[in-house]
Amino acid sequence: MSDDDVYDSYDDYDDDDGYDDDFDDEYDDEMMDDDQEEDYEVIENTSEHYSYPKSQTEKGTKTHRMIYDPLAIEDVEKQLQDKIDTLNSVLMIGKDACALLLLNYSWNETRLQDLYTSQEQEKIRLSAGLPAEPPRPTDPMFAGPLVRDADDDFMCFICCSDAEPNMKTFHCRYCNHLYCTDCYARYVRDQLKMKKTMIRCPDGSCKMNLGLSEIQELSEYLEEKEKKEEEIEMTKHTGALTSDEIAKRFQQDEYDPDYQEYDDIESIVQQREEEDKVFHFDERINERIKKEKIDRRQSTLIFHYWYVIASQYCNTNSKIFKFCPFPDCDSIIKLKGFDSDEVANVKELADKLFVPTVKCHENHSFCYNCMEEDHAPIPCKMCKGWLEKCKGESETAKWITVNTKVCPKCESSIEKNGGCNHMTCGSCRYEFCWICLGDWKKHRDNYNCDVYKPDEAAEERKAQTRKALQKYMFYFERFDNQMTSIKKDKALVESLETRIKKVQMDSGASWIESMFYREAIETLLACRRTLMWSYAVLFTCPECIGKRVLEGVQKALFMEVEKLSKLFESTDTKSVISKKGEFQDCKISLKRAQLTLTDVFIDQLVNKKVVLEGFTNL
Amino acid sequence: MPERDLRTERIQQERKKWRKDHPFGFFAKPNKAADGSLDLHNWTAGIPGKPKTLWENATFPITIAFPEEYPAKPPKIKFPAGFYHPNVYPSGTICLSILNEEQDWRPAISIKQLLLGIQELLNNPNPDSPAQEPAWRAFSKKKDEYEKRVKLQSKQYANKD
């Protein structure tokens, strides 16, 4: 605003002599350009993620990019804290009260602001477990710390303990229902376990709710207490060692010739140091941070409280916030919209046969619509249909492989329906032995058995089913092959840490330098997955020109996958670093092939150049 | 120091309080085991119907079972099986928010508060949480039949004068 004012006055001044107008315009334009550029950069910097890298495929099909933010639960907590701060800056009634109001009004701050300033204020406060009127802060009962020394005549009604030295009482800020702090904390913990965020005073008739600062105080009390207990435990242990015992130990160290523990320890320490030298701590530190985060969340009341609040918030806004479906991952994806106004929500996107693949904070890829592991390029519905078919058909397929054999002459499958080994092929009448598949005539002709005579119509039906099954088996085998490869490669990733360590040891490379190895494996896994699902798409694809196109790009991706896979197999850990360039090249062309495949598949499916068929539930 | 038995201590306290003072017409006491000793963890109690209601002049029997985790978890309170009331399950279990750990149970709710809450529920059923079909259906659709059945039940549990 003030900038404009300055320019205005400057303009006025210029108008007088009418000289510098052009310069002024130019200057303004320049300013605008700068602004735009800045805006642009800002957009680039914010981590907006897209489910597809471009808003159009190479064939020109709109991809209706899904814009999303991968978040950690702490990010959501931060956002909610900001909401509380914002509301408090308007209402000025304290963060505790604001948090309770927001919790009670599903975080709808605009509605709260309107309502709170209206006649309804008292009602709103009461329903959020706050006193009807904002209390005066000077009241001694309600000011200052809430954890206090118990009076002599105090008795906690929850545990029925009488006052004793060091006993502390606690009460929530706006009522005088005192309970011992241990009971209070246990109660809050139980409530949090039940995922309650509006925690009432334990008294049956009291309607006051506990606020953030009260839970914070309880939390601090517990931590303090735990620390003290630990200290007591420590002194106990050291106290148990008398000076005699210490002396004895020293003697043992000095004189006992068999006492070689120290040597062992030294060698272990040395080994550890060696390991640490080659093995960068990044990974371990991250892991430890993650573990500590979870521990803290479980043991610290206030962190647990925030965790419950944030996850509840995400669950109630489940159209925008979704948890990563991977086990032990509590990352969140926040949907921000689409870069086209033709789709309004994820379901519509999926109905158009796009796959809204997202990548969470921890790098897990999954489909935002059906919440399954990434299944691009197959659309959600068909993915489900395929999996169901696999479940049903695998039984049939299994039965066929177990119970039938292929006629050695005409290759039709034959079921052995009797105990005899003299087989006659139903279609070509070739007689052979079930056991050795050899010509029966050359067999010793002393078996007494029935010749299998098929019924013609049944045979026809069977042939058709078999044909369909053969097509299915063709694609299933390829699908399954990739799935098995993924599983094997995953095992590789799991042993990656040791492998990378070995790469580092063998080649003397640093952690960063060997990162390409991990990236290559991860790319390989992702591409195998894409390839796997492309087989399922092809199964449902009728014979047409479009199918040839799909097969073309699929083959290209297959070749690239094989190439990188081969490179992994043929490279021993010693020569990995020297082949870095090769790995990088392979990875890049593999990624390109994956992108082309998804692009082409999207184009063919979405523009209905290929209309998939085959699943009854479509 | 032996582990404290919070449950028993709390129940003893409740009993002391109850004996000192309890609302008129109510009774609540621990069961007696076969050998004559007290079973503090299982109580029998009676709730009088409020005067000038369909439930008057009768005392309805309930059982109270205190679980191991009491008072962190609420006691299980039951009417006799088949009790006629919209919010009582066929088993006799009462559907009341303060008796539900997931809902409004709080560890400082006393026996007195619970029993008064149940007395209140008798004549003010909550039509939004039906627990049995016959009483709920009659209560919301056929008031005559409902009143008749309740009166009959009150007669069954009538106070002996």
Side-chain angles (χ1 to χ4, degrees):
Chain A
M1 272 308 235
S2 61
D3 273 5
D4 280 353
D5 289 343
V6 170
Y7 287 131
D8 277 351
S9 60
Y10 191 57
D11 278 349
D12 286 346
Y13 171 75
D14 275 348
D15 280 346
D16 283 340
D17 63 12
Y19 171 69
D20 260 337
D21 272 357
D22 280 353
F23 168 76
D24 226 32
D25 286 347
E26 214 172 285
Y27 180 68
D28 274 351
D29 283 349
E30 224 173 72
M31 283 294 287
M32 276 240 284
D33 279 347
D34 274 349
D35 279 357
Q36 273 172 354
E37 215 157 275
E38 238 172 64
D39 281 352
Y40 180 71
E41 267 177 19
V42 167
I43 289 171
E44 284 289 287
N45 285 339
T46 52
S47 56
E48 279 187 331
H49 289 64
Y50 298 101
S51 52
Y52 284 99
K54 281 174 282 172
S55 60
Q56 277 189 353
T57 65
E58 279 182 1
K59 308 276 169 193
T61 310
K62 280 189 179 171
T63 47
H64 309 291
R65 282 188 298 185
M66 192 183 127
I67 308 165
Y68 66 92
D69 260 351
L71 302 173
I73 192 114
E74 286 76 16
D75 299 327
V76 180
E77 290 174 16
K78 183 81 199 18
Q79 284 179 14
L80 297 180
Q81 277 163 1
D82 289 347
K83 275 188 180 224
I84 294 172
D85 289 343
T86 320
L87 186 68
N88 191 31
S89 68
V90 178
L91 302 182
M92 309 280 271
I93 51 170
K95 284 189 193 178
D96 280 12
C98 287
L100 285 175
L101 289 173
L102 282 168
L103 277 169
N104 204 31
Y105 272 83
S106 348
W107 298 90
N108 191 340
E109 68 265 52
T110 33
R111 199 168 143 237
L112 248 177
Q113 279 175 26
D114 294 345
L115 283 173
Y116 196 80
T117 38
S118 72
Q119 302 289 315
E120 305 272 285
Q121 200 192 92
E122 200 168 291
K123 217 173 102 192
I124 293 168
R125 287 187 64 92
L126 285 174
S127 74
L130 289 163
E133 274 174 45
R136 261 171 271 147
T138 45
D139 195 326
M141 180 72 193
F142 308 132
L146 298 168
V147 176
R148 298 170 188 181
D149 288 327
D151 289 338
D152 289 341
D153 58 350
F154 170 78
M155 190 206 76
C156 170
F157 185 60
I158 297 176
C159 64
C160 299
S161 312
D162 293 316
E164 49 187 83
N166 294 330
M167 190 190 229
K168 304 278 184 195
T169 62
F170 189 84
H171 61 96
C172 88
R173 198 166 290 284
Y174 303 122
C175 70
N176 53 3
H177 300 113
L178 295 170
Y179 299 96
C180 77
T181 315
D182 290 327
C183 279
Y184 224 115
R186 198 179 307 122
Y187 164 67
V188 172
R189 184 163 285 163
D190 285 350
Q191 297 285 298
L192 289 179
K193 268 184 205 150
M194 285 185 277
K195 306 206 183 309
K196 283 193 195 174
T197 47
M198 300 292 267
I199 302 174
R200 287 228 162 139
C201 159
D203 182 86
S205 52
C206 181
K207 294 202 160 56
M208 293 298 117
N209 272 332
L210 286 167
L212 278 168
S213 69
E214 282 134 292
I215 293 170
Q216 173 79 41
E217 219 182 311
L218 272 178
S219 189
E220 279 163 14
Y221 165 83
L222 282 183
E223 267 175 88
E224 192 79 3
K225 193 183 156 199
E226 225 163 81
K227 223 162 103 193
K228 265 187 203 153
E229 273 168 10
E230 251 169 50
E231 270 167 26
I232 291 170
E233 199 70 6
M234 289 272 279
T235 45
K236 245 191 219 163
H237 280 296
T238 46
L241 211 64
T242 61
S243 48
D244 282 352
E245 280 170 325
I246 293 169
K248 212 171 161 190
R249 286 197 183 193
F250 266 111
Q251 276 173 0
Q252 199 177 26
D253 286 351
E254 264 173 68
Y255 297 118
D256 192 348
D258 294 332
Y259 201 72
Q260 288 182 343
E261 214 171 276
Y262 271 164
D263 288 349
D264 290 348
I265 288 172
E266 244 164 61
S267 69
I268 288 168
V269 168
Q270 215 168 21
Q271 198 188 331
R272 283 270 163 80
E273 275 172 3
E274 205 61 41
E275 275 174 24
D276 291 345
K277 244 183 241 162
V278 285
F279 190 67
H280 206 280
F281 270 120
D282 276 10
E283 193 80 341
R284 273 196 210 163
I285 286 173
N286 277 340
E287 226 158 71
R288 194 190 293 168
I289 288 174
K290 204 173 158 188
K291 199 180 163 285
E292 272 172 10
K293 216 167 74 183
I294 292 167
D295 283 352
R296 199 173 52 200
R297 191 183 293 152
Q298 275 159 2
S299 67
T300 315
L301 225 47
I302 188 73
F303 284 110
H304 195 177
Y305 185 56
W306 268 113
Y307 178 74
V308 174
I309 289 180
S311 43
Q312 207 178 59
Y313 176 75
C314 293
N315 285 332
T316 46
N317 295 288
S318 58
K319 275 190 184 146
I320 302 171
F321 293 96
K322 282 183 182 171
F323 280 98
C324 170
F326 279 65
D328 294 333
C329 180
D330 52 16
S331 302
I332 293 155
I333 300 284
K334 182 184 181 187
L335 170 63
K336 294 174 89 180
F338 302 90
D339 69 353
S340 84
D341 45 18
E342 285 169 52
V343 284
N345 54 45
V346 179
K347 201 184 161 292
E348 277 180 35
L349 192 71
D351 285 345
K352 279 181 184 281
L353 304 183
F354 289 105
V355 188
T357 303
V358 294
K359 214 173 201 183
C360 88
H361 213 247
E362 305 281 331
N363 264 336
H364 303 133
S365 292
F366 62 96
C367 167
Y368 203 68
N369 182 50
C370 62
M371 301 303 281
E372 297 290 337
E373 205 170 347
D374 179 26
H375 57 70
I378 197 170
C380 298
K381 283 193 228 167
M382 285 134 193
C383 167
K384 214 174 155 199
W386 169 261
L387 288 176
E388 266 164 30
K389 190 175 171 64
C390 287
K391 227 172 162 186
E393 296 276 343
S394 63
E395 289 306 300
T396 320
K398 213 168 150 192
W399 185 89
I400 285 172
T401 41
V402 169
N403 293 289
T404 72
K405 279 187 183 176
V406 175
C407 163
K409 219 169 184 182
C410 74
E411 293 193 351
S412 49
S413 294
I414 291 165
E415 178 198 354
K416 186 169 164 8
N417 59 351
C420 167
N421 290 328
H422 180 181
M423 304 306 294
T424 304
C425 171
S427 26
C428 70
R429 295 253 144 221
Y430 177 68
E431 292 176 46
F432 64 96
C433 168
W434 178 257
I435 305 295
C436 65
L437 299 179
D439 192 341
W440 188 255
K441 281 167 197 152
K442 289 174 188 163
H443 242 261
R444 276 180 296 148
D445 198 10
N446 54 0
Y447 291 97
N448 180 23
C449 57
D450 299 320
V451 174
Y452 174 53
K453 275 184 192 157
D455 141 23
E456 292 280 326
E459 191 59 19
E460 180 89 0
R461 268 202 312 278
K462 244 185 180 171
Q464 270 173 5
T465 335
R466 183 165 299 278
K467 216 174 148 195
L469 194 70
Q470 254 166 8
K471 182 184 171 193
Y472 166 75
M473 285 303 287
F474 178 85
Y475 288 110
F476 178 76
E477 269 167 21
R478 276 149 191 82
F479 178 89
D480 193 52
N481 176 34
Q482 291 301 329
M483 191 140 78
T484 331
S485 299
I486 288 174
K487 272 182 200 152
K488 279 182 191 154
D489 289 350
K490 263 195 182 153
L492 190 71
V493 171
E494 268 152 31
S495 64
L496 196 67
E497 200 155 297
T498 40
R499 259 192 100 142
I500 287 181
K501 208 160 97 181
K502 202 158 176 344
V503 168
Q504 286 171 334
M505 290 234 257
D506 290 348
S507 59
S510 76
W511 167 257
I512 294 291
E513 266 180 290
S514 56
M515 271 308 277
F516 76 92
Y517 193 73
R518 165 173 289 232
E519 277 168 19
I521 290 185
E522 273 162 11
T523 311
L524 181 65
L525 277 175
C527 291
R528 276 201 192 281
R529 182 157 276 279
T530 312
L531 191 59
M532 177 177 101
W533 282 111
S534 72
Y535 287 117
V537 176
L538 282 185
F539 168 69
T540 49
C541 178
E543 295 300 323
C544 59
I545 302 166
K547 187 170 180 179
R548 299 285 94 78
V549 177
L550 296 184
E551 280 170 351
V553 285
Q554 186 190 50
K555 195 175 171 198
L557 180 61
F558 179 79
M559 303 286 272
E560 292 297 336
V561 163
E562 284 304 295
K563 210 169 122 196
L564 184 55
S565 180
K566 214 167 190 174
L567 190 59
F568 269 114
E569 248 168 55
S570 62
T571 313
D572 58 13
T573 47
K574 282 200 174 81
S575 51
V576 160
I577 295 289
S578 63
K579 285 191 178 175
K580 185 174 174 180
E582 225 172 301
F583 273 100
Q584 297 280 49
D585 289 348
C586 264
K587 191 190 82 187
I588 289 164
S589 50
L590 179 56
K591 267 194 170 160
R592 202 178 297 131
Q594 185 194 25
L595 200 62
T596 315
L597 184 133
T598 27
D599 269 6
V600 171
F601 271 61
I602 288 175
D603 179 58
Q604 299 275 322
L605 297 184
V606 174
N607 291 335
K608 309 244 171 347
K609 289 178 188 167
V610 159
V611 180
L612 301 187
E613 54 179 36
F615 296 129
T616 44
N617 63 337
L618 292 185
Chain B
M1 198 171 89
E3 192 74 13
R4 284 183 59 197
D5 182 1
L6 285 189
R7 165 168 70 158
T8 312
E9 279 181 45
R10 167 68 183 268
I11 294 170
Q12 273 163 348
Q13 194 63 37
E14 288 277 4
R15 189 165 172 238
K16 219 156 73 187
K17 266 179 79 175
W18 180 266
R19 287 168 83 162
K20 214 154 73 183
D21 168 47
H22 64 259
F24 177 76
F26 285 74
F27 75 87
K29 52 179 189 264
N31 291 346
K32 274 204 175 94
D35 59 357
S37 67
L38 281 182
D39 178 5
L40 276 176
H41 302 154
N42 290 289
W43 288 28
T44 310
I47 293 170
K50 279 193 182 173
K52 289 175 196 156
T53 67
L54 300 169
W55 307 81
E56 67 181 345
N57 297 327
T59 303
F60 303 95
I62 53 167
T63 57
I64 309 174
F66 297 94
E68 192 90 46
E69 301 89 341
Y70 178 81
K73 286 198 171 142
K76 288 190 173 36
I77 302 191
K78 277 181 158 190
F79 280 112
F83 193 81
Y84 191 78
H85 188 280
N87 306 119
V88 175
Y89 287 97
S91 63
T93 303
I94 303 163
C95 178
L96 183 64
S97 69
I98 50 169
L99 284 175
N100 188 333
E101 189 200 355
E102 302 276 326
Q103 290 178 23
D104 290 337
W105 166 253
R106 277 170 276 166
I109 294 181
S110 64
I111 300 288
K112 187 170 121 184
Q113 279 170 317
L114 283 178
L115 298 193
L116 285 171
I118 295 167
Q119 188 195 35
E120 188 63 36
L121 183 74
L122 283 179
N123 201 44
N124 291 306
N126 176 6
D128 294 333
S129 49
Q132 60 165 281
E133 211 188 336
W136 178 75
R137 204 164 280 285
F139 178 74
S140 42
K141 298 215 172 86
K142 292 183 194 157
K143 276 275 153 62
D144 298 353
E145 193 194 316
Y146 177 74
E147 285 174 16
K148 217 173 87 191
R149 285 287 307 270
V150 171
K151 274 185 189 161
L152 205 70
Q153 183 169 259
S154 298
K155 208 170 269 175
Q156 185 191 341
Y157 296 111
N159 296 331
K160 285 159 213 149
D161 293 320

